[in-house]
Amino acid sequence: MPETRVPRRRRFLVCEPRHFAVQYAINPWMQPDVRVDVDLAQEQWQALIRAYRSHGHSVDTLEPVAGLPDMVFAANSAVVVGGRVFGSLFHAPERRPESTHYETWFKTAGFDVYRPESVCEGEGDLVWTGRYVLAGTGFRTTREAHREVQEFFGHPVISLTLVDPYFYHLDTALFVLDDNIAYYPEAFSPGSREVLARLYPDAVLATRDDASAFGLNSVSDGRHVFIAPQAEALAARLDERGYVPVPVDLSEFRKAGGGIKCCTQEIRS
């Protein structure tokens, strides 16, 4: 029988996709000539918020800003551990103004915010495991930022190199399941795959189809996994391990290379 797992209440920060669009191309998923259905994006995003709240999680919202179409991807704005906020410095100039608006929200909410000196894209590349930070690099966040993160939080940082441009952020190739992870091995360099295999010998392994469906851009509360419904094989493997998949379709956001986790910043007090 699969293990019975216990959910933990989470606090999330999100930003409404009122101005969501694909106006430039900064990853292979983005095609500016492809029209975004803003009404559908709104419906899908609202369904995600309802799913979080119906499972007992609290959700804070940040007002979107016109001219910043990717601001909906709240995860890239920061990483929050122990009530301390490490902010963002985006690789793409088009996204850099987002940082100021998120920083203002955090400061208004009573948090101090550290501004990184090196390119760093928040929870897109920085995944808190409860013991250390798994940190992606190769396309966006730099290794210099990894060192800043370790100095700021005082927790070990384990650098992982991403090698597939379709999985340009760590949160497109890996997510945390309590004391375990799910990931797509081929998104990583050979050495990084060895590191993950040693750290997580019992990890849930995903296929390229799972990853391409943004199944690894998921959010877990320890029992429930909010996951793209298109990642059917991964959902089945999670079910076998005692997790409860909660399908939420954010397919419209894949046009910009985003999914459930991209739209969700976790605030850890």
Side-chain angles (χ1 to χ4, degrees), residues 61-92:
T61 57
L62 170 68
E63 185 71 10
V65 177
L68 297 177
D70 284 341
M71 199 168 168
V72 63
F73 299 128
N76 304 153
S77 67
V79 59
V80 186
V81 177
R84 306 185 72 201
V85 181
F86 189 99
S88 62
L89 175 59
F90 286 94
H91 179 268

mmCIF file of all heavy atoms in Angstrom, residues 61-92:
data_model
loop_
_atom_site.group_PDB
_atom_site.id
_atom_site.type_symbol
_atom_site.label_atom_id
_atom_site.label_comp_id
_atom_site.label_asym_id
_atom_site.label_seq_id
_atom_site.Cartn_x
_atom_site.Cartn_y
_atom_site.Cartn_z
ATOM 1 N N THR A 61 -2.103 38.326 -3.433
ATOM 2 C CA THR A 61 -2.017 38.744 -4.827
ATOM 3 C C THR A 61 -1.312 40.084 -4.960
ATOM 4 O O THR A 61 -1.457 40.968 -4.122
ATOM 5 C CB THR A 61 -3.416 38.856 -5.460
ATOM 6 O OG1 THR A 61 -4.209 39.771 -4.706
ATOM 7 C CG2 THR A 61 -4.106 37.504 -5.494
ATOM 8 N N LEU A 62 -0.549 40.195 -6.021
ATOM 9 C CA LEU A 62 0.158 41.418 -6.380
ATOM 10 C C LEU A 62 -0.513 42.018 -7.605
ATOM 11 O O LEU A 62 -0.841 41.303 -8.556
ATOM 12 C CB LEU A 62 1.625 41.095 -6.683
ATOM 13 C CG LEU A 62 2.490 42.193 -7.294
ATOM 14 C CD1 LEU A 62 2.706 43.312 -6.286
ATOM 15 C CD2 LEU A 62 3.838 41.623 -7.724
ATOM 16 N N GLU A 63 -0.730 43.331 -7.609
ATOM 17 C CA GLU A 63 -1.371 44.003 -8.723
ATOM 18 C C GLU A 63 -0.463 43.966 -9.952
ATOM 19 O O GLU A 63 0.712 44.343 -9.890
ATOM 20 C CB GLU A 63 -1.670 45.460 -8.350
ATOM 21 C CG GLU A 63 -2.442 46.243 -9.373
ATOM 22 C CD GLU A 63 -3.895 45.838 -9.513
ATOM 23 O OE1 GLU A 63 -4.382 45.055 -8.667
ATOM 24 O OE2 GLU A 63 -4.543 46.308 -10.461
ATOM 25 N N PRO A 64 -0.987 43.497 -11.097
ATOM 26 C CA PRO A 64 -0.167 43.458 -12.316
ATOM 27 C C PRO A 64 0.085 44.858 -12.856
ATOM 28 O O PRO A 64 -0.649 45.803 -12.561
ATOM 29 C CB PRO A 64 -1.013 42.637 -13.277
ATOM 30 C CG PRO A 64 -2.417 42.853 -12.823
ATOM 31 C CD PRO A 64 -2.348 42.987 -11.331
ATOM 32 N N VAL A 65 1.116 44.978 -13.661
ATOM 33 C CA VAL A 65 1.519 46.265 -14.222
ATOM 34 C C VAL A 65 1.502 46.170 -15.748
ATOM 35 O O VAL A 65 2.092 45.246 -16.322
ATOM 36 C CB VAL A 65 2.921 46.669 -13.733
ATOM 37 C CG1 VAL A 65 3.376 47.969 -14.384
ATOM 38 C CG2 VAL A 65 2.938 46.796 -12.206
ATOM 39 N N ALA A 66 0.845 47.104 -16.386
ATOM 40 C CA ALA A 66 0.795 47.125 -17.846
ATOM 41 C C ALA A 66 2.201 47.248 -18.420
ATOM 42 O O ALA A 66 3.052 47.970 -17.889
ATOM 43 C CB ALA A 66 -0.064 48.301 -18.320
ATOM 44 N N GLY A 67 2.442 46.511 -19.506
ATOM 45 C CA GLY A 67 3.755 46.542 -20.135
ATOM 46 C C GLY A 67 4.712 45.498 -19.621
ATOM 47 O O GLY A 67 5.835 45.388 -20.127
ATOM 48 N N LEU A 68 4.284 44.723 -18.609
ATOM 49 C CA LEU A 68 5.110 43.639 -18.058
ATOM 50 C C LEU A 68 4.334 42.329 -18.199
ATOM 51 O O LEU A 68 3.741 41.825 -17.247
ATOM 52 C CB LEU A 68 5.465 43.927 -16.593
ATOM 53 C CG LEU A 68 6.311 45.177 -16.352
ATOM 54 C CD1 LEU A 68 6.542 45.406 -14.862
ATOM 55 C CD2 LEU A 68 7.652 45.071 -17.082
ATOM 56 N N PRO A 69 4.313 41.757 -19.399
ATOM 57 C CA PRO A 69 3.449 40.606 -19.685
ATOM 58 C C PRO A 69 3.820 39.334 -18.940
ATOM 59 O O PRO A 69 2.978 38.453 -18.768
ATOM 60 C CB PRO A 69 3.600 40.417 -21.195
ATOM 61 C CG PRO A 69 4.939 41.014 -21.520
ATOM 62 C CD PRO A 69 5.070 42.189 -20.595
ATOM 63 N N ASP A 70 5.079 39.214 -18.491
ATOM 64 C CA ASP A 70 5.521 38.015 -17.781
ATOM 65 C C ASP A 70 5.441 38.162 -16.264
ATOM 66 O O ASP A 70 5.896 37.276 -15.532
ATOM 67 C CB ASP A 70 6.958 37.657 -18.178
ATOM 68 C CG ASP A 70 7.037 37.007 -19.546
ATOM 69 O OD1 ASP A 70 5.994 36.509 -20.021
ATOM 70 O OD2 ASP A 70 8.128 37.001 -20.142
ATOM 71 N N MET A 71 4.853 39.244 -15.790
ATOM 72 C CA MET A 71 4.777 39.464 -14.342
ATOM 73 C C MET A 71 3.923 38.406 -13.647
ATOM 74 O O MET A 71 4.053 38.183 -12.438
ATOM 75 C CB MET A 71 4.217 40.860 -14.074
ATOM 76 C CG MET A 71 4.503 41.376 -12.687
ATOM 77 S SD MET A 71 4.123 43.142 -12.592
ATOM 78 C CE MET A 71 4.187 43.364 -10.804
ATOM 79 N N VAL A 72 3.073 37.724 -14.412
ATOM 80 C CA VAL A 72 2.263 36.636 -13.869
ATOM 81 C C VAL A 72 3.138 35.514 -13.307
ATOM 82 O O VAL A 72 2.719 34.777 -12.410
ATOM 83 C CB VAL A 72 1.305 36.085 -14.948
ATOM 84 C CG1 VAL A 72 2.065 35.488 -16.108
ATOM 85 C CG2 VAL A 72 0.340 35.063 -14.364
ATOM 86 N N PHE A 73 4.367 35.407 -13.803
ATOM 87 C CA PHE A 73 5.253 34.328 -13.369
ATOM 88 C C PHE A 73 5.969 34.726 -12.075
ATOM 89 O O PHE A 73 7.170 35.034 -12.038
ATOM 90 C CB PHE A 73 6.225 33.964 -14.484
ATOM 91 C CG PHE A 73 5.525 33.472 -15.728
ATOM 92 C CD1 PHE A 73 5.802 34.019 -16.971
ATOM 93 C CD2 PHE A 73 4.569 32.464 -15.650
ATOM 94 C CE1 PHE A 73 5.162 33.580 -18.112
ATOM 95 C CE2 PHE A 73 3.910 32.009 -16.784
ATOM 96 C CZ PHE A 73 4.201 32.572 -18.021
ATOM 97 N N ALA A 74 5.196 34.693 -11.001
ATOM 98 C CA ALA A 74 5.632 35.215 -9.703
ATOM 99 C C ALA A 74 6.833 34.470 -9.134
ATOM 100 O O ALA A 74 7.620 35.050 -8.365
ATOM 101 C CB ALA A 74 4.470 35.156 -8.705
ATOM 102 N N ALA A 75 6.979 33.204 -9.471
ATOM 103 C CA ALA A 75 8.073 32.417 -8.891
ATOM 104 C C ALA A 75 9.441 33.001 -9.198
ATOM 105 O O ALA A 75 10.388 32.831 -8.423
ATOM 106 C CB ALA A 75 8.015 30.980 -9.384
ATOM 107 N N ASN A 76 9.549 33.693 -10.331
ATOM 108 C CA ASN A 76 10.850 34.217 -10.747
ATOM 109 C C ASN A 76 11.277 35.456 -9.969
ATOM 110 O O ASN A 76 12.395 35.934 -10.125
ATOM 111 C CB ASN A 76 10.835 34.563 -12.237
ATOM 112 C CG ASN A 76 10.443 33.413 -13.132
ATOM 113 O OD1 ASN A 76 9.928 33.628 -14.222
ATOM 114 N ND2 ASN A 76 10.652 32.184 -12.695
ATOM 115 N N SER A 77 10.388 35.983 -9.136
ATOM 116 C CA SER A 77 10.631 37.269 -8.480
ATOM 117 C C SER A 77 11.560 37.190 -7.286
ATOM 118 O O SER A 77 12.181 38.191 -6.914
ATOM 119 C CB SER A 77 9.306 37.876 -8.027
ATOM 120 O OG SER A 77 8.719 37.091 -6.990
ATOM 121 N N ALA A 78 11.662 36.029 -6.648
ATOM 122 C CA ALA A 78 12.416 35.932 -5.389
ATOM 123 C C ALA A 78 12.445 34.481 -4.941
ATOM 124 O O ALA A 78 11.777 33.612 -5.522
ATOM 125 C CB ALA A 78 11.760 36.794 -4.306
ATOM 126 N N VAL A 79 13.210 34.228 -3.886
ATOM 127 C CA VAL A 79 13.079 32.992 -3.119
ATOM 128 C C VAL A 79 13.027 33.411 -1.657
ATOM 129 O O VAL A 79 13.786 34.277 -1.216
ATOM 130 C CB VAL A 79 14.236 32.001 -3.399
ATOM 131 C CG1 VAL A 79 15.588 32.599 -3.060
ATOM 132 C CG2 VAL A 79 14.014 30.694 -2.654
ATOM 133 N N VAL A 80 12.084 32.826 -0.919
ATOM 134 C CA VAL A 80 11.846 33.202 0.475
ATOM 135 C C VAL A 80 12.072 31.979 1.348
ATOM 136 O O VAL A 80 11.404 30.952 1.181
ATOM 137 C CB VAL A 80 10.418 33.741 0.681
ATOM 138 C CG1 VAL A 80 10.250 34.260 2.112
ATOM 139 C CG2 VAL A 80 10.086 34.840 -0.326
ATOM 140 N N VAL A 81 13.006 32.085 2.280
ATOM 141 C CA VAL A 81 13.315 31.001 3.214
ATOM 142 C C VAL A 81 13.420 31.603 4.612
ATOM 143 O O VAL A 81 14.170 32.568 4.808
ATOM 144 C CB VAL A 81 14.625 30.278 2.841
ATOM 145 C CG1 VAL A 81 14.951 29.202 3.874
ATOM 146 C CG2 VAL A 81 14.539 29.679 1.442
ATOM 147 N N GLY A 82 12.665 31.072 5.547
ATOM 148 C CA GLY A 82 12.733 31.558 6.918
ATOM 149 C C GLY A 82 12.373 33.027 7.045
ATOM 150 O O GLY A 82 12.918 33.730 7.908
ATOM 151 N N GLY A 83 11.455 33.489 6.220
ATOM 152 C CA GLY A 83 11.035 34.881 6.267
ATOM 153 C C GLY A 83 12.032 35.860 5.679
ATOM 154 O O GLY A 83 11.833 37.070 5.763
ATOM 155 N N ARG A 84 13.089 35.372 5.058
ATOM 156 C CA ARG A 84 14.101 36.224 4.428
ATOM 157 C C ARG A 84 13.942 36.142 2.917
ATOM 158 O O ARG A 84 13.787 35.057 2.357
ATOM 159 C CB ARG A 84 15.504 35.807 4.843
ATOM 160 C CG ARG A 84 15.712 35.749 6.359
ATOM 161 C CD ARG A 84 17.150 35.455 6.698
ATOM 162 N NE ARG A 84 17.994 36.608 6.417
ATOM 163 C CZ ARG A 84 19.310 36.538 6.239
ATOM 164 N NH1 ARG A 84 19.925 35.371 6.267
ATOM 165 N NH2 ARG A 84 20.012 37.632 6.010
ATOM 166 N N VAL A 85 13.996 37.301 2.264
ATOM 167 C CA VAL A 85 13.694 37.385 0.842
ATOM 168 C C VAL A 85 14.949 37.712 0.042
ATOM 169 O O VAL A 85 15.566 38.765 0.231
ATOM 170 C CB VAL A 85 12.618 38.456 0.567
ATOM 171 C CG1 VAL A 85 12.299 38.518 -0.925
ATOM 172 C CG2 VAL A 85 11.363 38.184 1.379
ATOM 173 N N PHE A 86 15.304 36.807 -0.847
ATOM 174 C CA PHE A 86 16.398 37.026 -1.794
ATOM 175 C C PHE A 86 15.737 37.365 -3.122
ATOM 176 O O PHE A 86 15.052 36.531 -3.725
ATOM 177 C CB PHE A 86 17.252 35.761 -1.913
ATOM 178 C CG PHE A 86 18.522 35.934 -2.701
ATOM 179 C CD1 PHE A 86 19.733 36.120 -2.056
ATOM 180 C CD2 PHE A 86 18.511 35.895 -4.093
ATOM 181 C CE1 PHE A 86 20.917 36.264 -2.781
ATOM 182 C CE2 PHE A 86 19.673 36.046 -4.825
ATOM 183 C CZ PHE A 86 20.876 36.234 -4.170
ATOM 184 N N GLY A 87 15.906 38.597 -3.573
ATOM 185 C CA GLY A 87 15.193 39.088 -4.739
ATOM 186 C C GLY A 87 15.757 38.602 -6.059
ATOM 187 O O GLY A 87 16.531 37.639 -6.117
ATOM 188 N N SER A 88 15.382 39.289 -7.131
ATOM 189 C CA SER A 88 15.747 38.837 -8.474
ATOM 190 C C SER A 88 16.485 39.918 -9.250
ATOM 191 O O SER A 88 16.336 41.107 -8.991
ATOM 192 C CB SER A 88 14.486 38.432 -9.254
ATOM 193 O OG SER A 88 13.622 39.548 -9.403
ATOM 194 N N LEU A 89 17.279 39.452 -10.197
ATOM 195 C CA LEU A 89 17.892 40.310 -11.208
ATOM 196 C C LEU A 89 17.803 39.516 -12.505
ATOM 197 O O LEU A 89 18.577 38.592 -12.744
ATOM 198 C CB LEU A 89 19.350 40.628 -10.856
ATOM 199 C CG LEU A 89 20.131 41.435 -11.911
ATOM 200 C CD1 LEU A 89 19.475 42.779 -12.185
ATOM 201 C CD2 LEU A 89 21.588 41.628 -11.467
ATOM 202 N N PHE A 90 16.813 39.844 -13.331
ATOM 203 C CA PHE A 90 16.504 39.028 -14.492
ATOM 204 C C PHE A 90 17.588 39.098 -15.561
ATOM 205 O O PHE A 90 18.233 40.131 -15.759
ATOM 206 C CB PHE A 90 15.165 39.453 -15.092
ATOM 207 C CG PHE A 90 13.974 39.016 -14.284
ATOM 208 C CD1 PHE A 90 13.409 39.862 -13.340
ATOM 209 C CD2 PHE A 90 13.426 37.757 -14.460
ATOM 210 C CE1 PHE A 90 12.320 39.459 -12.594
ATOM 211 C CE2 PHE A 90 12.333 37.344 -13.719
ATOM 212 C CZ PHE A 90 11.780 38.202 -12.785
ATOM 213 N N HIS A 91 17.727 37.984 -16.264
ATOM 214 C CA HIS A 91 18.669 37.910 -17.376
ATOM 215 C C HIS A 91 18.198 38.789 -18.537
ATOM 216 O O HIS A 91 18.994 39.525 -19.134
ATOM 217 C CB HIS A 91 18.800 36.453 -17.831
ATOM 218 C CG HIS A 91 19.722 36.241 -18.980
ATOM 219 N ND1 HIS A 91 19.294 36.237 -20.295
ATOM 220 C CD2 HIS A 91 21.058 36.023 -19.020
ATOM 221 C CE1 HIS A 91 20.323 36.024 -21.087
ATOM 222 N NE2 HIS A 91 21.405 35.886 -20.344
ATOM 223 N N ALA A 92 16.906 38.731 -18.850
ATOM 224 C CA ALA A 92 16.366 39.484 -19.978
ATOM 225 C C ALA A 92 16.022 40.908 -19.559
ATOM 226 O O ALA A 92 15.313 41.109 -18.577
ATOM 227 C CB ALA A 92 15.121 38.796 -20.517
#
